[in-house]
């Protein structure tokens, strides 16, 4: 049965970019391709239910400070910074570039959510312990509700996922789906 989203919610896809997901990517997360079918199905459901869809995407300058501690990735204008073909955005979707782990920091995300009158965010994408985690914490800090699809996110290890799921549930009362 199709997943039913709460009203006044947004469905977000974080960093499903060539550099993280494609085997030729600069910062490949091995195994992350397994979450593509789940995200694809949820995208269809969200669109059918007229739930706003937002892609929160890493987009860096070639000399971004972040490259002091990560290999260069998702450089603006490059193939690596594009969403993978399987999950391409459609016209009307929100594309929100970000430079930091939290997609709220220095971006239009909060403005859009408030303009649309939304109070809940459903999360999918990568990495569970980095951009998903920091953005979900920031969402709850700003009084939004956060829900995470456990089979729609990925990190470097199942152990990391388990730890982060427990943190999300115990510390910020996120809904785990
Ligand atoms: Zn980055």
């Amino acid at each position: 049965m199709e997943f039913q989203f709460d009203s006044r919610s947004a469905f977000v896809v974080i960093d499903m970019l060539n550099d993280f997901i494609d085997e030729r990517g600069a910062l490949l997360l091995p195994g992350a391709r397994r979450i593509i079918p789940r995200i694809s199905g949820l995208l269809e459901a969200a669109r059918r239910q007229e739930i706003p869809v937002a892609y929160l995407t890493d987009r860096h300058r070639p000399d971004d400070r972040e490259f002091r501690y990560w290999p260069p990735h998702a450089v603006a204008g490059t193939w690596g910074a594009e969403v993978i073909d399987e999950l391409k955005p459609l016209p009307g979707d929100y594309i929100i570039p970000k430079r930091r782990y939290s997609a709220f920091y220095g971006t239009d995300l909060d403005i859009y959510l408030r303009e649309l009158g939304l109070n809940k965010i459903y999360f999918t994408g990568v990495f569970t312990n980095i951009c998903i985690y920091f953005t979900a914490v920031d969402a709850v800090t700003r009084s939004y509700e956060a829900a995470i699809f456990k089979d729609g996110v990925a990190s470097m290890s199942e152990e990391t996922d388990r730890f982060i799921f427990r943190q999300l549930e115990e510390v910020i009362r996120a809904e785990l789906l």
Side-chain angles (χ1 to χ4, degrees), residues 61-82:
R61 281 169 51 98
D63 59 352
D64 197 297
R65 279 180 71 90
E66 196 177 281
F67 299 161
R68 295 176 186 190
Y69 42 95
W70 290 108
H73 60 273
V75 172
T78 66
W79 166 84
E82 291 171 19

Side-chain angles (χ1 to χ4, degrees), residues 15 20 27 58-60 66-67 70 73-74 98-99 101:
D15 282 344
F20 299 122
L27 192 48
D58 243 15
R59 191 177 294 174
H60 297 291
E66 196 177 281
F67 299 161
W70 290 108
H73 60 273
K98 63 184 178 62
R99 290 183 53 204
Y101 296 163

Side-chain angles (χ1 to χ4, degrees), residues 40-130:
S40 181
L42 288 165
L43 274 170
E44 278 178 35
R47 289 180 174 132
R48 244 193 310 269
Q49 296 170 39
E50 298 183 350
I51 297 297
V53 169
Y55 288 81
L56 315 180
T57 61
D58 243 15
R59 191 177 294 174
H60 297 291
R61 281 169 51 98
D63 59 352
D64 197 297
R65 279 180 71 90
E66 196 177 281
F67 299 161
R68 295 176 186 190
Y69 42 95
W70 290 108
H73 60 273
V75 172
T78 66
W79 166 84
E82 291 171 19
V83 174
I84 57 170
D85 285 341
E86 295 90 331
L87 301 174
K88 280 285 183 235
L90 295 184
D93 291 347
Y94 294 83
I95 315 288
I96 301 173
K98 63 184 178 62
R99 290 183 53 204
R100 293 293 181 257
Y101 296 163
S102 169
F104 281 98
Y105 189 79
T107 75
D108 286 344
L109 177 58
D110 193 51
I111 301 171
Y112 280 131
L113 293 169
R114 282 191 283 134
E115 282 176 350
L116 294 166
L118 310 180
N119 58 20
K120 181 169 186 174
I121 306 173
Y122 290 91
F123 288 92
T124 60
V126 299
F127 296 7
T128 316
N129 58 323
I130 309 178

